[in-house]
Amino acid sequence: MPVMPIGACMVAEACERAGHRVTLLDLMFVRQPHEAVRKAILLSRPDVVGLSVRNIDNNDMGATEFFLDDLKSVVDTVREHCGSPVILGGAALAVMPEEILRFCEVSCAVLGDGETVFPLLLARMAQGKTYSDIPGIAFLDRDRFTSTPCPGQGGTTECGAPGYHRWVNVPAYSSQLATAPLQTKLGCAFQCVYCTYRKIEGNGHRLADPASVAEAVTRLAASGLRDIELVDSVFNVPYEHALGVCEALAKIKHGARLQSLELNPRSFDDELVSAMERAGFAGMGLTVESASDRVLEGLRKGFTTREVHKAAEVMTRHSLPCAWIFLLGGPGETRETVRKTLKFAETAARPQDVVFFNIGIRIYPGTELESIARRQGILTASPDQMLRPVFYVSPDVDASWMMDEVRRSMSRHMNFINTDSIGLSILPRVHRVAHLLGVRPPLWKHTRFIRRSLRMMGMDV
Ligand code: B12
C-alpha cells in the first residue's frame, strides 16, 4: 500500500505558514524520478531542497530491499541541476542519521519534528546565520558527525492533519486504497530491544487534545479522505488518552473509517474495543509478537502471554477486524516457542482477521538487540555497515525452518500471510481492482478471499 507522505506535507505546510514559497514533489507515482526532479528544479528554482526519507529498507530478511541507493541518486540529480543546500529529514534520518549523511554525502539533516525545526533552519539560512545550535539537527562537518538533542520530550502536541489535496495526488493514493495518516500523539515509553521508535519520537508522550483529533478527522473526511489511519507508535498507550480520543470521535458524525495497526496487548480490554467501534474504527492491529513468555521477555515487550491470551479472549466478543502481528526469531526463540506461537495464532484468528508473520529482526545500531547480537557472536558488522540491513535470528532456531513452518501454517489458514505476501508484485493491481469494485479499507480483512482467488488463478500465494 502506498503510504501518503504525512511528514513531508506537514513540513511543507509549516514552511508556507512561515512565509516561504514551497513546492512539494511527491515521487510515489512518478515513473522517471530524475526527470521529474530536474523539471521541478528548473520550474521552482529553490533556495533550499529538503528531501523526506521514510524507509531505509523493507525490513524483510527473505527478500531484502535497500532503498538508499535511489536516494543517493536523487541527491546527485538535485546537485546536478542546482547548487542550493540539500537538507535531509524523515523517520529514516532519525533512525540512522550519521550513516545516511555519510552514505549520501550530505552535510545536514533534521532529526526532530520537521514542522518546527525546518522553518527555524530556513530562517537562520535566510539571515546568513549559522544554524548548528538549533535543537534537533545533525551535521557532518568534514568527517566529524555532531547532533543536537531533539526538543519536545513531553507535554502536548497539535493534531496536525495536513491538507493532503494541496500537496499530493490524492486520487492516485485513493485508487490504491491508501489511508490518510494522522497522529494523535508522539512518543513511546516501551523498551522493546529492537525498536527505534524512542529514537524517532522520544520516550515521553506528547498527547494531542482529543477534541482536536476529532476536528482533524472531520476535516479530512469532509475533504473526501474517509479512510484514516492513526499512525501513533502505540495507539492504546496511554490508555486514558486512547479512550478520550475514541469518546471525542464517537460524539460527532465524522463519516470516516478509522484504523490503527499499532495496538499493544497491554492496556487492552473490552471497554477500549467497544469505544473504538463506537468511534468508527473499521480495523485494528495488535502487535502481539509471540505467544511465548520466554520470547516476550527476550524482546522486552513489557507484557506477558497473560495479556496476549486476554487480548484474544476480548476479540472473541467483538466483530472489529484485527490484524495479528507476530515477530519470529527474537532472543530466546526456539522451535518449541515458534510452534506455541503458531498454535496460538491458529486459535486466536477469526475469519475477518489477518495474521502476519515477520521472520528475523532488523538490527539497528544503538539498540539493545545490537548488544545482544554482538554478545552472541551473531553480529560483527560495524554500525556504518548496518545501513544495508542486517537481521537477528535466535541462535536456537533456524530461519529457513521457521519460514517453512509459517508456509505450512499458511497453506492451512488462508488468512495467514508473511513478508512475501505483502511484497507480491500483483498487490497494486489487487488494490486497484478492489477500489473499482467499491471495497473499502482495510483490504486485509478479505485476505482469505484474495488468497483463495489468486491461488485459483494458479499463483503460489
Ligand atoms: C505508522 C507506520 C507505518 C504504517 C503506515 C500507515 C500509513 N497509512 O501511513 C504501516 C504499518 C502501513 C507501515 C508500513 C511500513 N513501515 Co512503517 N512506520 C510507521 C511509524 C510507526 C510512524 C510513521 C508516521 O507516519 N509518523 C508520523 C509522521 C508525522 O512522522 P514522520 O513521517 O517521521 O515525519 C516527521 C519527521 O520525520 C520530519 N520529516 C519528515 N519528512 C521531512 C522532510 C524534511 C525536509 C524535513 C526537514 C523533516 C521531515 O518531520 C515530520 C513531522 O514532524 C514509523 C515509526 C515512527 N515512530 O516514526 C514506522 C517506520 C517509518 N516504518 C518503517 C518501515 C520499515 C515500514 C515498512 C517497510 C515495513 C514493512 N516491512 O512493510 C512499511 C513500508 C510502507 C510504505 N509503503 O512505505 C521504518 C522505516 C525505517 C526503515 N528501517 O526503513 C519505521 C521508522 C519503523 C522502524 N522500523 O524503525 N508503517
Side-chain angles (χ1 to χ4, degrees):
M1 184 191 78
V3 162
M4 291 174 76
I6 178 175
C9 292
M10 283 170 70
V11 173
E13 228 158 77
C15 291
E16 208 172 58
R17 270 199 306 272
H20 300 283
R21 183 175 52 85
V22 184
T23 304
L24 195 152
L25 172 66
D26 180 11
L27 295 175
M28 180 68 80
F29 303 104
V30 170
R31 281 179 194 275
Q32 292 178 311
H34 299 285
E35 184 50 19
V37 168
R38 188 186 72 85
K39 275 194 185 146
I41 287 178
L42 294 181
L43 263 174
S44 60
R45 304 201 168 278
D47 297 319
V48 180
V49 178
L51 296 177
S52 179
V53 192
R54 186 187 193 279
N55 303 330
I56 302 167
D57 55 90
N58 63 351
N59 256 338
D60 180 353
M61 190 176 75
T64 310
E65 272 190 72
F66 179 64
F67 302 126
L68 299 190
D69 288 321
D70 290 340
L71 171 67
K72 172 79 173 80
S73 72
V74 169
V75 171
D76 292 345
T77 303
V78 170
R79 289 197 168 137
E80 214 177 286
H81 299 289
C82 76
S84 307
V86 174
I87 312 284
L88 303 182
L93 267 297
V95 175
M96 293 177 76
E98 178 172 356
E99 294 78 6
I100 298 180
L101 285 178
R102 286 189 195 285
F103 182 82
C104 293
E105 296 173 27
V106 171
S107 61
C108 180
V110 167
L111 310 183
D113 305 346
E115 71 279 27
T116 315
V117 182
F118 201 44
L120 281 177
L121 185 76
L122 294 182
R124 294 275 187 96
M125 283 177 153
Q127 294 160 2
K129 290 187 181 160
T130 60
Y131 42 84
S132 52
D133 60 317
I134 295 179
I137 281 202
F139 270 106
L140 198 57
D141 184 9
R142 268 173 273 140
D143 226 35
R144 211 174 73 87
F145 175 81
T146 48
S147 63
T148 54
C150 292
Q153 295 286 306
T156 56
T157 181
E158 244 181 70
C159 182
Y164 287 110
H165 290 272
R166 164 93 176 70
W167 303 107
V168 298
N169 183 352
V170 168
Y173 281 96
S174 302
S175 73
Q176 292 214 30
L177 298 186
T179 50
L182 186 72
Q183 246 181 344
T184 79
K185 75 174 82 61
L186 279 149
C188 182
F190 285 90
Q191 307 278 331
C192 310
V193 291
Y194 53 86
C195 194
T196 57
Y197 288 9
R198 293 186 302 280
K199 206 171 166 190
I200 303 172
E201 298 182 358
N203 55 6
H205 288 121
R206 284 178 282 159
L207 310 174
D209 171 25
S212 79
V213 176
E215 254 169 53
V217 166
T218 312
R219 201 165 56 242
L220 284 177
S223 78
L225 285 161
R226 291 184 178 277
D227 289 290
I228 298 173
E229 187 153 345
L230 304 181
V231 291
D232 306 0
S233 287
V234 181
F235 173 67
N236 58 327
V237 176
Y239 178 82
E240 280 70 28
H241 182 256
L243 267 190
V245 166
C246 290
E247 277 159 19
L249 286 162
K251 272 192 212 141
I252 51 163
K253 274 208 174 77
H254 51 69
R257 289 171 292 264
L258 300 159
Q259 279 186 67
S260 177
L261 283 181
E262 308 260 357
L263 275 88
N264 191 297
R266 213 172 86 178
S267 311
F268 186 81
D269 59 13
D270 284 289
E271 193 184 347
L272 179 74
V273 184
S274 300
M276 288 172 71
E277 286 172 329
R278 283 195 302 273
F281 273 78
M284 53 161 271
L286 266 169
T287 49
V288 175
E289 321 290 29
S290 172
S292 150
D293 277 323
R294 189 183 148 148
V295 176
L296 291 175
E297 205 181 303
L299 295 170
R300 277 231 263 154
K301 288 303 297 179
F303 58 82
T304 65
T305 50
R306 240 188 86 210
E307 283 95 338
V308 170
H309 287 282
K310 188 186 150 208
E313 213 187 289
V314 167
M315 291 316 290
T316 60
R317 295 189 282 272
H318 298 268
S319 57
L320 185 63
C322 178
W324 299 84
I325 299 160
F326 294 95
L327 193 51
L328 302 180
E333 193 86 86
T334 61
R335 285 189 175 200
E336 196 199 326
T337 59
V338 171
R339 285 195 190 105
K340 218 174 179 177
T341 297
L342 289 174
K343 201 163 165 218
F344 167 79
E346 286 167 8
T347 51
R350 302 158 306 160
Q352 68 271 43
D353 294 347
V354 68
V355 177
F356 174 66
F357 296 101
N358 202 53
I359 297 171
I361 310 178
R362 166 68 150 114
I363 312 174
Y364 295 102
T367 57
E368 202 182 325
L369 189 63
E370 182 195 15
S371 318
I372 296 172
R374 290 198 192 282
R375 257 197 327 271
Q376 294 180 339
I378 293 171
L379 178 71
T380 49
S382 60
D384 59 301
Q385 293 168 326
M386 291 162 71
L387 193 56
R388 286 182 195 272
V390 283
F391 293 88
Y392 179 92
V393 175
S394 158
D396 300 323
V397 68
D398 187 51
S400 55
W401 178 84
M402 282 191 286
M403 286 175 190
D404 287 346
E405 281 303 290
V406 166
R407 272 190 220 112
R408 227 192 316 276
S409 204
M410 283 170 63
S411 68
R412 290 194 305 267
H413 301 275
M414 284 299 127
N415 53 347
F416 282 24
I417 58 170
N418 61 6
T419 40
D420 292 345
S421 323
I422 59 169
L424 279 176
S425 58
I426 195 165
L427 266 194
R429 258 176 292 160
V430 172
H431 283 138
R432 273 194 292 272
V433 170
H435 175 72
L436 290 173
L437 293 174
V439 178
R440 293 290 162 249
L443 188 64
W444 50 255
K445 69 177 180 235
H446 303 295
T447 300
R448 279 163 169 251
F449 173 76
I450 296 168
R451 275 194 68 207
R452 275 206 191 102
S453 306
L454 294 177
R455 279 161 84 97
M456 267 159 55
M457 286 158 70
M459 275 175 247
D460 180 24
V461 295

